[in-house]
């Protein structure tokens, strides 16, 4: 009888220790992923995501892929800031939204960059009726290219669904942002 109690107690201790180790491991993994996928500029992202009817986790995933949250980064193509807005696109958007005293230097300002990037994502959402693949392909390669691909039966059999993206960089971009979007929602949405 004493042996059974000791064995039962030992089993409970092993179970408790195992659960504690699993909890600490999961917590560590959770913290590790939150370091890999940070949620910087949360107030600005929330503000402009709400204004332009976007999911803030989607905006965060785009920023993560575009700049890893580095506000003054400039790409080899000349895209600037957190959301990697091209200067021409920034000027076009600033006219559309009536942003006075716009200059390309403002693209390194987190608030201006996030505002312009969110407006553009909203614009692409309207253009492509909310289709995430086309929105992201348009953000990366330009909406006119996406329209051209949709007209080509090699990339779209029905003229509506983008079944294949001919640019490897754009294909990888779309996949990475979609994956990151899922991760952001998993890490922060609760």
């Amino acid at each position: 009888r004493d042996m059974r109690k000791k064995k039962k107690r030992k089993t409970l201790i092993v179970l408790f220790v195992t659960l504690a180790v699993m909890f600490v491991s999961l917590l560590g993994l959770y913290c590790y992923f939150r370091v890999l996928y940070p949620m910087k500029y949360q107030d600005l992202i929330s503000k402009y995501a709400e204004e332009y009817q976007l999911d803030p986790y989607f905006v965060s995933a785009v920023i993560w892929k575009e700049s890893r949250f580095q506000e003054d980064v400039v790409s080899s193509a000349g895209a600037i800031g957190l959301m990697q807005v091209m200067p021409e696109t920034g000027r076009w958007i600033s006219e559309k939204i009536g942003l006075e005293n716009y200059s390309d230097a403002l693209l390194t300002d987190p608030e201006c960059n996030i505002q312009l990037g969110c407006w553009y994502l909203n614009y692409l959402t309207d253009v492509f009726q909310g289709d995430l693949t086309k929105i992201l392909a348009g953000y990366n390669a330009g909406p006119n290219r996406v329209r051209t691909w949709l007209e080509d039966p090699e990339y779209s059999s029905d003229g509506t669904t983008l079944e294949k993206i001919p640019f490897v960089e754009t294909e990888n971009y779309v996949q990475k942002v979609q994956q990151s979007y899922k991760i952001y929602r998993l890490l922060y949405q609760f």
Side-chain angles (χ1 to χ4, degrees):
R1 196 171 179 131
D2 261 352
M3 284 296 265
R4 269 198 217 164
K5 279 186 175 181
K6 284 182 182 180
K7 193 172 185 178
K8 194 174 185 179
R9 193 175 314 137
K10 186 176 179 181
T11 303
L12 285 173
I13 290 171
V14 168
L15 180 62
F16 175 77
V17 169
T18 302
L19 288 173
V21 168
M22 287 174 57
F23 175 76
V24 169
S25 296
L26 286 173
L27 183 61
L29 191 59
Y30 172 76
C31 292
Y32 172 75
F33 272 99
R34 283 183 73 129
V35 169
L36 284 180
Y37 294 88
M39 193 71 168
K40 298 179 181 177
Y41 306 103
Q42 195 167 2
D43 291 345
L44 293 174
I45 291 169
S46 294
K47 174 182 176 180
Y48 291 109
E50 182 178 334
E51 183 173 333
Y52 296 111
Q53 300 152 0
L54 301 167
D55 184 336
Y57 305 111
F58 175 62
V59 175
S60 295
V62 170
I63 293 172
W64 180 86
K65 177 61 180 129
E66 290 289 351
S67 68
R68 297 296 196 272
F69 289 91
Q70 296 175 36
E71 61 192 50
D72 58 354
V73 69
V74 179
S75 76
S76 58
I80 301 171
L82 292 168
M83 297 189 76
Q84 290 291 276
V85 177
M86 292 295 289
E88 314 81 70
T89 305
R91 289 189 288 272
W92 177 71
I93 295 169
S94 68
E95 287 176 20
K96 293 281 185 189
I97 65 174
L99 184 63
E100 295 181 20
N101 301 319
Y102 172 82
S103 75
D104 293 345
L106 285 173
L107 292 176
T108 60
D109 174 69
E111 182 159 12
C112 181
N113 193 281
I114 291 170
Q115 179 183 18
L116 297 179
C118 285
W119 184 92
Y120 194 53
L121 284 172
N122 176 270
Y123 166 79
L124 292 172
T125 299
D126 289 344
V127 167
F128 296 119
Q129 296 86 39
D131 184 311
L132 200 59
T133 298
K134 292 187 285 190
I135 293 164
L136 291 170
Y139 196 87
N140 182 261
N144 291 333
R145 279 203 180 107
V146 174
R147 287 185 192 103
T148 301
W149 297 337
L150 290 168
E151 294 170 1
D152 188 330
E154 186 177 346
Y155 309 121
S156 175
S157 61
D158 63 4
T160 302
T161 307
L162 187 58
E163 294 148 359
K164 183 179 176 194
I165 298 173
F167 292 1
V168 174
E169 176 192 327
T170 302
E171 175 70 27
N172 291 338
Y173 175 86
V174 169
Q175 289 175 1
K176 194 66 172 177
V177 174
Q178 288 178 332
Q179 175 188 3
S180 302
Y181 181 30
K182 290 175 186 171
I183 291 170
Y184 269 99
R185 288 173 62 193
L186 184 67
L187 289 174
Y188 295 97
Q189 188 178 35
F190 51 95

